[in-house]
Amino acid sequence: MQKQAQTSVPIHWPIANRWSPRAFGTAPVSAVDLTKILEAARWAPSCLNEQPWAFLVATRGQPEEFQKALSCLVEFNQGWAKNASVILFGLAHKVFNSSGKPNTYALHDLGLATASLMIEGESLGLRTHAMAGILPDRIREVFGVPEDFEPVTALAIGRPGDPETLPEPLLVREKAPRERKSLDQIAFGGQFGKPFADKGL
Ligand SMILES: Cc1cc2nc3c(=O)[nH]c(=O)nc-3n(C[C@H](O)[C@H](O)[C@H](O)COP(=O)(O)O)c2cc1C
């Protein structure tokens, strides 16, 4: 199923086509594709090039690891993410390696790396779905996460699936149109709240 973004001008297709499904197909994600999306994350920009991200990756091919990862999601997310091929946790390094001071850009930079991963994934025919519904303390315990890293989000990754396999409430959400604020609501010029477009391009 496609849910292409409705844009005012054409944009790069993997960005327009990316969306967050809950139905996944059974076809596995190859080791090469998995490496490609991790490489895409690796080459994201970051404040002082600190690269304050780490990823815990569990694939369906390793059933024990996969179950372990699933058990670190809230129940709602477990319900659909169990059909993904990969569960990945994104962790942020909370302090600068260089100074030991708090890195207030760590979440920003983990987000950049995650977005790169998602776009690379879409370009390879993979679907990704981010989740805040995780159990951070359990992730720490189960995967032995060091104190200075914070589990922030999970990603379910897999091949596109058949929405009709989802239970009714999820099916409705799967088919719902994607919505966004307008450009006027987010891009300002001259003064906060004043649409950038008013200035003329
Ligand atoms: C940080 C973050 C956390 C999210 N958490 C969840 C979640 O726990 N469960 C879920 O089903 N979807 C979750 N989502 C998916 C969003 O609901 C989805 O990205 C948003 O509705 C926009 O839809 P789209 O990605 O299809 O454009 C999350 C997305 C992000 C970026």
Side-chain angles (χ1 to χ4, degrees):
M1 190 167 73
Q2 295 291 332
K3 289 175 73 165
Q4 202 179 21
Q6 301 300 307
T7 55
S8 54
V9 290
I11 60 172
H12 193 37
W13 70 265
I15 299 175
N17 284 13
R18 184 216 58 81
W19 66 285
S20 303
R22 295 188 180 86
F24 287 96
T26 50
V29 175
S30 72
V32 172
D33 283 357
L34 196 47
T35 307
K36 284 186 182 183
I37 61 175
L38 292 170
E39 277 290 354
R42 184 163 82 100
W43 283 96
S46 62
C47 181
L48 292 173
N49 199 20
E50 277 267 332
Q51 306 158 60
W53 47 64
F55 301 98
L56 291 163
V57 188
T59 63
R60 181 176 288 287
Q62 301 163 303
E64 220 171 280
E65 292 291 309
F66 193 77
Q67 285 307 319
K68 209 165 88 169
L70 262 185
S71 76
C72 295
L73 303 178
V74 298
E75 209 177 322
F76 170 76
N77 285 335
Q78 283 188 30
W80 57 266
K82 65 176 189 286
N83 298 317
S85 299
V86 180
I87 305 281
L88 174 151
F89 294 104
L91 315 176
H93 192 211
K94 296 186 291 186
V95 292
F96 282 110
N97 280 318
S98 45
S99 63
K101 291 187 176 155
N103 182 353
T104 51
Y105 303 99
L107 295 180
H108 175 278
D109 293 349
L110 173 63
L112 285 177
T114 305
S116 287
L117 184 156
M118 287 175 153
I119 295 162
E120 182 72 16
E122 185 67 37
S123 78
L124 297 168
L126 299 175
R127 290 274 147 81
T128 56
H129 192 142
M131 290 168 270
I134 59 171
L135 304 172
D137 291 344
R138 184 162 168 79
I139 296 169
R140 279 190 183 288
E141 182 193 320
V142 165
F143 292 96
V145 176
E147 194 54 40
D148 51 339
F149 278 82
E150 180 185 342
V152 181
T153 45
L155 287 183
I157 303 169
R159 298 281 166 198
D162 177 3
E164 302 298 330
T165 58
L166 292 170
E168 187 61 24
L170 292 189
L171 179 61
V172 171
R173 288 169 75 167
E174 197 83 345
K175 289 184 170 172
R178 296 177 61 213
E179 288 176 358
R180 289 296 188 272
K181 295 174 185 173
S182 70
L183 271 186
D184 284 353
Q185 291 173 296
I186 61 162
F188 306 138
Q191 208 170 12
F192 189 92
K194 193 169 182 296
F196 172 71
D198 283 358
K199 292 169 75 82
L201 298 174

